Amino acid sequence: MANEPLIVSWQLLRAAAQLVEGIQNGVLADGFADVRPVHGYALARISTGDATVTDVAEHLGVTKQAASQLVEHLVQRGYVNREPHPDDGRAWLLTLSPQGRACTRAAERAAAAVVARWREEMGAKDFAALYRGLGKVVSPGTVRPPW
């Protein structure tokens, strides 16, 4: 099929968009109305530990100034704690607050619900094939915003 690469590309991009939309809808339904997908990517990086604004900027692929504004939003709304970095007097160590951990758990539940819906729609055999196939072609690594 001549358009197969384009169609597969579009389907994968649309699947990723559906997953992000499903997570966003689930997070909103759980009461986290002031969080957007970009915040989720930042919370994911912060949740791994030893995160600074510079780490968040590198993870998101944005400037340190943009990351600082995003982190400030998360701190002001109670999702992230900011403490002096024990090894760098110029940096702040970022950690998830209890509210930030609750938000990430809501995102995980929402993602699981989207994938469960896909599994149900595809059937166990086709879903298992998709899982194996993606495992063969998708490189391991961090998940970053698609910009």
Side-chain angles (χ1 to χ4, degrees):
M1 195 174 192
N3 289 332
E4 190 174 70
L6 182 60
I7 292 169
V8 170
S9 298
W10 181 87
Q11 288 172 328
L12 286 170
L13 289 170
R14 188 62 200 125
Q18 282 179 293
L19 182 59
V20 170
E21 291 164 8
I23 292 169
Q24 181 64 24
N25 290 337
V27 166
L28 289 171
D30 277 358
F32 301 100
D34 52 355
V35 176
R36 300 290 171 258
V38 68
H39 299 128
Y41 288 106
L43 291 173
R45 171 56 188 95
I46 294 166
S47 73
T48 65
D50 294 327
T52 64
V53 168
T54 300
D55 296 323
V56 172
E58 290 172 3
H59 179 74
L60 297 177
V62 299
T63 65
K64 188 175 172 187
Q65 181 180 7
S68 292
Q69 291 173 350
L70 189 140
V71 166
E72 184 61 26
H73 173 91
L74 294 170
V75 168
Q76 292 297 317
R77 284 157 182 81
Y79 293 97
V80 171
N81 298 319
R82 188 171 39 204
E83 304 165 6
H85 196 291
D87 301 325
D88 185 348
R90 299 167 294 142
W92 295 94
L93 189 60
L94 307 173
T95 58
L96 295 183
S97 69
Q99 182 175 336
R101 286 190 298 278
C103 183
T104 58
R105 285 192 302 273
E108 290 168 359
R109 285 191 302 274
V114 170
V115 173
R117 191 167 51 252
W118 290 346
R119 182 183 295 117
E120 183 178 318
E121 291 172 6
M122 295 177 72
K125 184 177 178 182
D126 286 345
F127 185 83
L130 174 67
Y131 181 82
R132 285 190 308 275
L134 289 174
K136 291 178 181 178
V137 298
V138 176
S139 302
T142 59
V143 177
R144 299 171 188 225
W147 53 62

